[in-house]
């Protein structure tokens, strides 16, 4: 006897089961169980790609290899064919209709010709007639890419070579040792080649080289940035010490700090040498723009006592640095040493920036900048600044323009030209600025400037204790070469100095005052050269600059 289910259709069985459940369980309604249906089996689809391979001179090419590949996450090769004597070819393959890709890649290779690669939308019947350009020259490119922080090789990085007009000549990947090598074939050789290295999680790096038979191009890069493209409209965003270090690879780019940076780890970088300054004296300077955005960089270490041009920035060209704040910095170099900048050239601008910490070197040492030829404004320093000569609380040597700035740092030197604000002012301008730090030297020490060579100083004051074996003054240690000193004041009690200069003349608008005469509401009446309510503001203590209150 056949089973009961064999006498009924699936629908009839479902209805019967529903009726039984209705009677047995007292249901008021019954939905029959769904009837499962099977998906149709995928069907095979035959596809053909055919055409003729010719040269740029319209000659047919025999023996060319053509490869058709999918363009999707699969990326597998579908078929390979070789062109006949008359250049014709046919690629045929079968594919399931539920696995059809949106596009195909057709690569054509032939001896003596450049490889051609074309992307075509998928169609079961395609015609493709590749035209190949003859090779007229070859070159070999090779090199390695490493992590700038650890010096470890970076595997899987992509190296791209671009020639004149933006034409891409090659794309290769680095091996497990971070190395790459490729043979470039040209139909019309470019004058130069731009190599671009990119790796996931790292910043991209570019190098441009004149075309040669053999080109070794090495790269070093770090973990990139928090975002941005480095343009004025979309600056690179800095949030970590690694991001900060990566600026050395983009010296003409725009940057903005978008978070406070803990740079204390830099003390262990580079075998204890610390952070690598941005821009160097022996190489290209920084010529971009860096906006600290009122965020803080804490614990930056640079320990390179035999190197000139040391600071967060080693060397500024025509650059702009705004609102950068360094706290607890430890900076050591040879000459041209500053907490923020080693040397700033004419055309550079530093504004709204601050350095606190210990800055040391030999000559041209400043709390903010070692040597200034550009402009410094609304900036400040504090901490301990030490060297042998041309040492200043804010700037070691100034040949540019310093205005509306201050130093609270102590400055000391083993020799001469030590100042609370500037060590040596050489044909430079200093205005609306002051110094409160203590100054000590063997000679030419001033509460404001160690030695003034033909420069102009006006609307300034100094209050720090000054001590030197000779040529020490409340404001300037030595005022020489027709240097001018006007509209300025020093505290005779706190500086311990009875005269404005150790040697050289000063204007009769330069006056020594007592502490009470320079502080509180007494200041405006006793310091008439100052523009109170505009440049200067009174406090319970000494006057401060407009941007401080």
């Amino acid at each position: 006897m056949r089973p009961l289910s064999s006498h009924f259709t699936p629908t009839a069985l479902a209805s019967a089961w529903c009726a039984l459940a209705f009677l047995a369980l007292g249901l008021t309604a019954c939905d029959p169980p769904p009837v499962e249906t099977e998906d149709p089996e995928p069907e095979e689809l035959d596809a053909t790609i055919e055409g003729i391979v010719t040269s740029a001179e319209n000659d047919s090419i025999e023996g060319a290899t053509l490869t058709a590949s999918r363009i999707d996450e699969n990326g597998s090769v579908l078929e390979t064919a070789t062109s006949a004597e008359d250049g014709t070819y046919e690629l045929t393959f079968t594919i399931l209709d539920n696995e059809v890709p949106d596009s195909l890649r057709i690569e054509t290779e032939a001896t003596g010709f450049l490889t051609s690669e074309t992307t075509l939308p998928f169609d079961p019947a395609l015609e493709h007639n590749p035209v190949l350009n003859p090779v007229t020259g070859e070159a070999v490119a090779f090199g390695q890419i490493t992590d700038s922080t650890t010096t470890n090789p970076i595997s899987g990085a992509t190296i791209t070579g671009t020639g004149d007009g933006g034409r891409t000549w090659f794309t290769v990947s680095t091996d497990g040792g971070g190395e790459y090598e490729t043979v470039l074939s040209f139909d019309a050789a470019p004058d130069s080649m731009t190599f671009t290295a990119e790796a996931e999680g790292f910043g991209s790096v570019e190098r441009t080289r004149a075309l040669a038979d053999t080109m070794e191009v090495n790269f070093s890069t770090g973990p990139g940035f928090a975002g941005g493209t480095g343009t004025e409209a979309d600056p690179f965003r800095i949030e970590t010490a690694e991001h900060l270090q990566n600026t050395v690879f983009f010296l003409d780019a725009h940057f903005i700090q978008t978070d406070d940076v803990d740079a204390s780890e830099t003390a262990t970088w580079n075998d204890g040498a610390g952070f690598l300054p941005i821009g160097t004296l022996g190489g290209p300077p920084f010529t971009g723009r860096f906006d600290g955005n009122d965020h803080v960089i804490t614990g930056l270490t640079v320990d390179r006592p035999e190197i000139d041009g040391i600071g967060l920035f080693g060397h500024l060209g025509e650059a702009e640095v705004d609102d950068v704040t360094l706290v607890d910095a430890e900076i050591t170099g040879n000459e041209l040493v500053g907490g923020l900048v080693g040397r700033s050239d004419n055309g550079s601008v530093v504004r709204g920036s601050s350095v606190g910490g210990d800055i040391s070197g030999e000559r041209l040492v400043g709390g903010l900048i070692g040597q200034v030829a550009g402009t410094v404004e609304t900036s400040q320093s504090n901490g301990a600044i030490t060297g042998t000569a041309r040492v200043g609380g804010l700037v070691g040597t100034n040949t540019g323009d310093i205005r509306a700035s201050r130093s609270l740092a102590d400055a000391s030197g083993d020799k001469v030209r030590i100042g609370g604000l500037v060590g040596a002012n050489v044909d430079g301008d200093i205005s609306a600025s002051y110094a409160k730090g203590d100054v000590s030297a063997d000679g030419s020490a001033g509460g404001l400037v160690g030695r003034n060579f033909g420069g102009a100083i006006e609307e300034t004051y100094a209050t720090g204790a000054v001590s030197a074996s000779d040529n020490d003054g409340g404001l300037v240690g030595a005022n020489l070469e027709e240097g001018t000193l006007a509209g300025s004041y020093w505290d005779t009690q706190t500086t311990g100095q009875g005269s404005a200069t150790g040697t050289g003349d000063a204007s009769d608008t330069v006056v020594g005052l007592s502490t009470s005469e320079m502080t509180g509401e007494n200041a405006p009446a006793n310091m008439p050269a100052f523009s109170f309510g505009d440049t200067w503001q009174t406090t319970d203590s000494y006057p401060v600059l407009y941007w401080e209150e």
Side-chain angles (χ1 to χ4, degrees):
M1 176 182 293
R2 289 186 298 171
L4 181 63
S5 60
S6 65
H7 293 279
F8 299 95
T9 65
T11 301
L13 280 173
S15 298
W17 282 114
C18 182
L20 289 172
F22 181 84
L23 292 172
L25 303 176
L27 300 176
T28 57
C30 182
D31 292 325
V35 178
E36 295 184 0
T37 59
E38 296 183 359
D39 294 331
E41 290 289 333
E43 296 184 359
E44 292 185 341
L45 179 65
D46 294 328
T48 301
I49 305 172
E50 59 184 355
I52 182 171
V53 183
T54 59
S55 68
E57 291 76 26
N58 204 33
D59 295 326
S60 60
I61 299 176
E62 179 184 3
T65 300
L66 296 98
T67 304
S69 305
R70 305 169 61 99
I71 298 183
D72 54 18
E73 68 279 359
N74 190 318
S76 59
V77 173
L78 295 169
E79 184 60 281
T80 299
T82 303
S83 61
E85 184 177 358
D86 60 358
T88 60
Y89 73 93
E90 183 177 85
L91 287 160
T92 60
F93 54 91
T94 300
I95 190 170
L96 296 178
D97 60 4
N98 64 345
E99 296 181 356
V100 172
D102 292 331
S103 303
L104 298 175
R105 179 184 295 109
I106 314 299
E107 185 177 82
T108 308
E109 299 177 282
T111 303
F113 294 88
L114 295 179
T115 299
S116 168
E117 188 176 284
T118 305
T119 299
L120 299 172
F122 178 81
D123 190 282
L126 283 174
E127 181 179 352
H128 174 53
N129 300 307
V131 178
L132 305 184
N133 294 314
V135 172
T136 58
E138 289 187 340
V140 176
F142 66 97
Q144 184 185 43
I145 180 169
T146 57
D147 185 325
S148 61
T149 303
T150 65
T151 69
N152 292 331
I154 302 174
S155 62
T158 299
I159 315 296
T160 304
T162 307
D164 302 335
R167 181 176 178 181
T168 299
W169 287 100
F170 74 89
T171 300
V172 296
S173 296
T174 56
D175 59 21
E179 298 180 336
Y180 72 95
E181 182 172 347
T182 185
V183 177
L184 291 69
S185 299
F186 305 104
D187 54 350
D191 294 329
S192 62
M193 182 74 63
T194 297
F195 295 76
T196 303
E198 297 177 301
E200 184 176 357
F202 291 85
S204 63
V205 190
E206 283 191 358
R207 300 279 188 271
T208 299
R209 298 287 187 270
L211 188 69
D213 292 340
T214 301
M215 295 177 287
E216 180 178 4
V217 183
N218 298 311
F219 303 89
S220 180
T221 186
F225 301 98
T229 58
T231 65
E232 182 176 2
D234 185 29
F236 287 127
R237 295 191 288 278
I238 293 175
E239 295 181 354
T240 68
E242 288 78 11
H243 295 163
L244 191 64
Q245 185 65 91
N246 288 336
T247 57
V248 301
F249 302 112
F250 307 91
L251 295 177
D252 60 352
H254 292 252
F255 302 88
I256 185 168
Q257 191 176 335
T258 51
D259 202 353
D260 292 343
V261 171
D262 181 357
S264 57
E265 65 185 271
T266 58
T268 63
W269 287 4
N270 299 308
D271 295 324
F275 187 85
L276 178 65
I278 305 164
T280 62
L281 293 179
F286 178 74
T287 57
R289 181 175 188 267
F290 191 104
D291 182 358
N293 199 26
D294 292 325
H295 284 289
V296 175
I297 300 170
T298 304
L300 182 74
T301 295
V302 184
D303 188 8
R304 301 169 185 266
E306 298 179 356
I307 306 298
D308 298 341
I310 293 298
L312 172 63
F313 296 88
H315 185 192
L316 294 184
E318 292 187 7
E320 188 174 342
V321 177
D322 296 291
D323 302 320
V324 176
T325 299
L326 296 178
V327 176
D328 296 332
E330 296 283 344
I331 310 295
T332 302
N334 186 39
E335 297 188 355
L336 297 161
V337 181
L340 184 67
V341 181
R343 187 178 88 183
S344 64
D345 290 347
N346 186 26
S348 65
V349 177
V350 174
R351 66 170 68 88
S353 296
S354 172
V355 172
D358 295 332
I359 316 300
S360 61
E362 292 297 315
R363 299 171 64 251
L364 298 100
V365 182
L368 189 78
I369 304 176
Q371 183 179 41
V372 170
T375 299
V376 176
E377 59 186 20
T378 60
S379 295
Q380 60 183 318
S381 63
N382 62 77
I385 319 303
T386 58
T388 56
R390 299 197 178 199
V391 179
L394 188 77
V395 171
T397 294
N398 175 49
T399 62
D401 185 8
I402 299 173
R403 50 180 180 260
S405 295
R406 70 173 192 171
S407 176
L408 309 181
D410 296 332
S412 61
D414 296 335
K415 296 182 180 178
V416 296
R417 304 170 197 172
I418 316 298
L421 190 78
V422 174
N425 188 45
V426 183
D427 296 323
D429 294 329
I430 302 173
S431 62
S433 299
Y434 67 90
K436 287 187 173 181
D438 295 340
V439 180
S440 61
D442 281 347
S444 298
L448 191 81
V449 175
R451 186 172 292 185
N452 184 33
F453 292 87
I457 302 171
E458 61 178 344
E459 204 173 343
T460 64
Y461 77 82
T463 65
V466 180
S467 62
S469 58
D470 67 337
N471 290 337
D472 51 347
L475 283 168
V476 177
N479 190 34
L480 308 173
E481 301 297 327
E482 299 183 354
T484 61
L485 176 60
S488 297
Y489 309 91
W490 79 99
D491 188 323
T492 57
Q493 294 174 280
T494 58
T495 62
Q497 298 294 319
S499 62
T501 66
T503 184
D505 298 326
S507 164
D508 56 9
T509 59
V510 176
V511 181
L513 301 171
S514 67
T515 302
S516 62
E517 289 173 325
M518 292 182 65
T519 56
E521 295 303 320
N522 294 328
N526 294 309
M527 305 169 78
F530 280 22
S531 179
F532 284 95
D534 182 15
T535 304
W536 298 93
Q537 306 291 331
T538 59
T539 69
D540 292 339
S541 185
Y542 295 100
V544 296
L545 293 162
Y546 64 92
W547 53 266
E548 295 183 70
E549 291 287 322

